[in-house]
PDB file of all heavy atoms in Angstrom:
ATOM      1  N   ASN X 487      14.791  33.603   8.939  1.00 86.00           N
ATOM      2  CA  ASN X 487      15.460  32.846   7.890  1.00 86.00           C
ATOM      3  C   ASN X 487      16.795  33.483   7.509  1.00 86.00           C
ATOM      4  O   ASN X 487      17.774  32.796   7.240  1.00 86.00           O
ATOM      5  CB  ASN X 487      14.546  32.749   6.657  1.00 86.00           C
ATOM      6  CG  ASN X 487      14.321  31.317   6.226  1.00 86.00           C
ATOM      7  OD1 ASN X 487      14.456  30.401   7.022  1.00 86.00           O
ATOM      8  ND2 ASN X 487      14.002  31.125   4.964  1.00 86.00           N
ATOM      9  N   LEU X 491      20.533  31.598   7.751  1.00 84.00           N
ATOM     10  CA  LEU X 491      21.402  31.428   6.588  1.00 84.00           C
ATOM     11  C   LEU X 491      22.605  32.358   6.619  1.00 84.00           C
ATOM     12  O   LEU X 491      23.550  32.177   5.856  1.00 84.00           O
ATOM     13  CB  LEU X 491      20.602  31.672   5.297  1.00 84.00           C
ATOM     14  CG  LEU X 491      19.422  30.723   5.058  1.00 84.00           C
ATOM     15  CD1 LEU X 491      18.639  31.148   3.820  1.00 84.00           C
ATOM     16  CD2 LEU X 491      19.910  29.291   4.911  1.00 84.00           C
ATOM     17  N   MET X 677       5.994  18.617   6.848  1.00 85.00           N
ATOM     18  CA  MET X 677       7.352  19.129   7.076  1.00 85.00           C
ATOM     19  C   MET X 677       8.281  18.809   5.915  1.00 85.00           C
ATOM     20  O   MET X 677       9.294  19.488   5.730  1.00 85.00           O
ATOM     21  CB  MET X 677       7.919  18.554   8.381  1.00 85.00           C
ATOM     22  CG  MET X 677       7.263  19.100   9.626  1.00 85.00           C
ATOM     23  SD  MET X 677       7.871  18.307  11.125  1.00 85.00           S
ATOM     24  CE  MET X 677       9.581  18.840  11.129  1.00 85.00           C
ATOM     25  N   ARG X 679       7.442  19.069   2.849  1.00 72.00           N
ATOM     26  CA  ARG X 679       6.977  19.823   1.680  1.00 72.00           C
ATOM     27  C   ARG X 679       6.953  21.321   1.956  1.00 72.00           C
ATOM     28  O   ARG X 679       5.985  22.007   1.694  1.00 72.00           O
ATOM     29  CB  ARG X 679       5.574  19.352   1.277  1.00 72.00           C
ATOM     30  CG  ARG X 679       5.527  17.872   0.931  1.00 72.00           C
ATOM     31  CD  ARG X 679       4.099  17.394   0.720  1.00 72.00           C
ATOM     32  NE  ARG X 679       4.075  15.961   0.436  1.00 72.00           N
ATOM     33  CZ  ARG X 679       2.952  15.246   0.299  1.00 72.00           C
ATOM     34  NH1 ARG X 679       1.780  15.844   0.434  1.00 72.00           N
ATOM     35  NH2 ARG X 679       3.002  13.963   0.048  1.00 72.00           N
ATOM     36  N   THR X 680       8.028  21.831   2.546  1.00 65.00           N
ATOM     37  CA  THR X 680       8.075  23.238   2.936  1.00 65.00           C
ATOM     38  C   THR X 680       8.834  24.100   1.936  1.00 65.00           C
ATOM     39  O   THR X 680       9.132  25.241   2.229  1.00 65.00           O
ATOM     40  CB  THR X 680       8.755  23.376   4.314  1.00 65.00           C
ATOM     41  OG1 THR X 680      10.061  22.766   4.259  1.00 65.00           O
ATOM     42  CG2 THR X 680       7.929  22.715   5.393  1.00 65.00           C
ATOM     43  N   ILE X 681       9.152  23.561   0.788  1.00 62.00           N
ATOM     44  CA  ILE X 681       9.890  24.331  -0.214  1.00 62.00           C
ATOM     45  C   ILE X 681       8.900  25.187  -1.005  1.00 62.00           C
ATOM     46  O   ILE X 681       7.967  24.682  -1.619  1.00 62.00           O
ATOM     47  CB  ILE X 681      10.666  23.406  -1.168  1.00 62.00           C
ATOM     48  CG1 ILE X 681      11.653  22.544  -0.382  1.00 62.00           C
ATOM     49  CG2 ILE X 681      11.399  24.230  -2.218  1.00 62.00           C
ATOM     50  CD1 ILE X 681      12.425  21.563  -1.239  1.00 62.00           C
ATOM     51  N   GLY X 682       9.094  26.505  -0.947  1.00 57.00           N
ATOM     52  CA  GLY X 682       8.243  27.422  -1.693  1.00 57.00           C
ATOM     53  C   GLY X 682       9.033  28.163  -2.744  1.00 57.00           C
ATOM     54  O   GLY X 682      10.161  27.793  -3.103  1.00 57.00           O
ATOM     55  N   ALA X 683       8.452  29.237  -3.241  1.00 53.00           N
ATOM     56  CA  ALA X 683       9.111  30.028  -4.286  1.00 53.00           C
ATOM     57  C   ALA X 683      10.391  30.670  -3.777  1.00 53.00           C
ATOM     58  O   ALA X 683      11.343  30.882  -4.528  1.00 53.00           O
ATOM     59  CB  ALA X 683       8.151  31.095  -4.799  1.00 53.00           C
ATOM     60  N   SER X 684      10.413  30.986  -2.470  1.00 60.00           N
ATOM     61  CA  SER X 684      11.603  31.634  -1.890  1.00 60.00           C
ATOM     62  C   SER X 684      12.567  30.625  -1.273  1.00 60.00           C
ATOM     63  O   SER X 684      13.524  31.016  -0.613  1.00 60.00           O
ATOM     64  CB  SER X 684      11.160  32.639  -0.816  1.00 60.00           C
ATOM     65  OG  SER X 684      10.405  31.988   0.194  1.00 60.00           O
ATOM     66  N   GLY X 685      12.333  29.342  -1.466  1.00 70.00           N
ATOM     67  CA  GLY X 685      13.202  28.317  -0.905  1.00 70.00           C
ATOM     68  C   GLY X 685      12.613  27.713   0.353  1.00 70.00           C
ATOM     69  O   GLY X 685      11.425  27.847   0.635  1.00 70.00           O
ATOM     70  N   ILE X 686      13.452  27.052   1.128  1.00 78.00           N
ATOM     71  CA  ILE X 686      13.009  26.389   2.359  1.00 78.00           C
ATOM     72  C   ILE X 686      12.922  27.406   3.490  1.00 78.00           C
ATOM     73  O   ILE X 686      13.866  28.162   3.732  1.00 78.00           O
ATOM     74  CB  ILE X 686      13.976  25.251   2.744  1.00 78.00           C
ATOM     75  CG1 ILE X 686      14.027  24.199   1.643  1.00 78.00           C
ATOM     76  CG2 ILE X 686      13.536  24.608   4.057  1.00 78.00           C
ATOM     77  CD1 ILE X 686      15.016  23.087   1.910  1.00 78.00           C
ATOM     78  N   ASP X 687      11.807  27.414   4.192  1.00 83.00           N
ATOM     79  CA  ASP X 687      11.639  28.280   5.363  1.00 83.00           C
ATOM     80  C   ASP X 687      12.167  27.541   6.583  1.00 83.00           C
ATOM     81  O   ASP X 687      11.433  26.839   7.276  1.00 83.00           O
ATOM     82  CB  ASP X 687      10.166  28.649   5.536  1.00 83.00           C
ATOM     83  CG  ASP X 687       9.983  29.855   6.444  1.00 83.00           C
ATOM     84  OD1 ASP X 687      10.891  30.107   7.264  1.00 83.00           O
ATOM     85  OD2 ASP X 687       8.959  30.543   6.318  1.00 83.00           O
ATOM     86  N   TRP X 688      13.451  27.703   6.856  1.00 87.00           N
ATOM     87  CA  TRP X 688      14.114  26.932   7.896  1.00 87.00           C
ATOM     88  C   TRP X 688      13.557  27.226   9.286  1.00 87.00           C
ATOM     89  O   TRP X 688      13.463  26.339  10.127  1.00 87.00           O
ATOM     90  CB  TRP X 688      15.615  27.199   7.865  1.00 87.00           C
ATOM     91  CG  TRP X 688      16.277  26.739   6.613  1.00 87.00           C
ATOM     92  CD1 TRP X 688      16.716  27.515   5.582  1.00 87.00           C
ATOM     93  CD2 TRP X 688      16.574  25.389   6.255  1.00 87.00           C
ATOM     94  NE1 TRP X 688      17.266  26.736   4.591  1.00 87.00           N
ATOM     95  CE2 TRP X 688      17.200  25.420   4.980  1.00 87.00           C
ATOM     96  CE3 TRP X 688      16.377  24.150   6.868  1.00 87.00           C
ATOM     97  CZ2 TRP X 688      17.611  24.272   4.335  1.00 87.00           C
ATOM     98  CZ3 TRP X 688      16.804  23.008   6.225  1.00 87.00           C
ATOM     99  CH2 TRP X 688      17.406  23.080   4.964  1.00 87.00           C
ATOM    100  N   GLY X 689      13.199  28.480   9.551  1.00 88.00           N
ATOM    101  CA  GLY X 689      12.683  28.839  10.867  1.00 88.00           C
ATOM    102  C   GLY X 689      11.366  28.155  11.164  1.00 88.00           C
ATOM    103  O   GLY X 689      11.163  27.607  12.262  1.00 88.00           O
ATOM    104  N   VAL X 690      10.454  28.166  10.212  1.00 90.00           N
ATOM    105  CA  VAL X 690       9.160  27.500  10.392  1.00 90.00           C
ATOM    106  C   VAL X 690       9.352  25.993  10.519  1.00 90.00           C
ATOM    107  O   VAL X 690       8.703  25.334  11.334  1.00 90.00           O
ATOM    108  CB  VAL X 690       8.219  27.833   9.217  1.00 90.00           C
ATOM    109  CG1 VAL X 690       6.933  27.026   9.315  1.00 90.00           C
ATOM    110  CG2 VAL X 690       7.912  29.321   9.189  1.00 90.00           C
ATOM    111  N   LEU X 691      10.253  25.454   9.727  1.00 91.00           N
ATOM    112  CA  LEU X 691      10.524  24.018   9.796  1.00 91.00           C
ATOM    113  C   LEU X 691      11.082  23.630  11.166  1.00 91.00           C
ATOM    114  O   LEU X 691      10.707  22.600  11.730  1.00 91.00           O
ATOM    115  CB  LEU X 691      11.515  23.636   8.696  1.00 91.00           C
ATOM    116  CG  LEU X 691      11.706  22.144   8.412  1.00 91.00           C
ATOM    117  CD1 LEU X 691      10.394  21.506   7.998  1.00 91.00           C
ATOM    118  CD2 LEU X 691      12.759  21.935   7.340  1.00 91.00           C
TER     119      LEU X 691
END
Side-chain angles (χ1 to χ4, degrees):
N487 235 23
L491 299 175
M677 290 176 65
R679 301 172 182 175
T680 56
I681 301 178
S684 58
I686 299 177
D687 197 336
W688 296 105
V690 174
L691 192 60

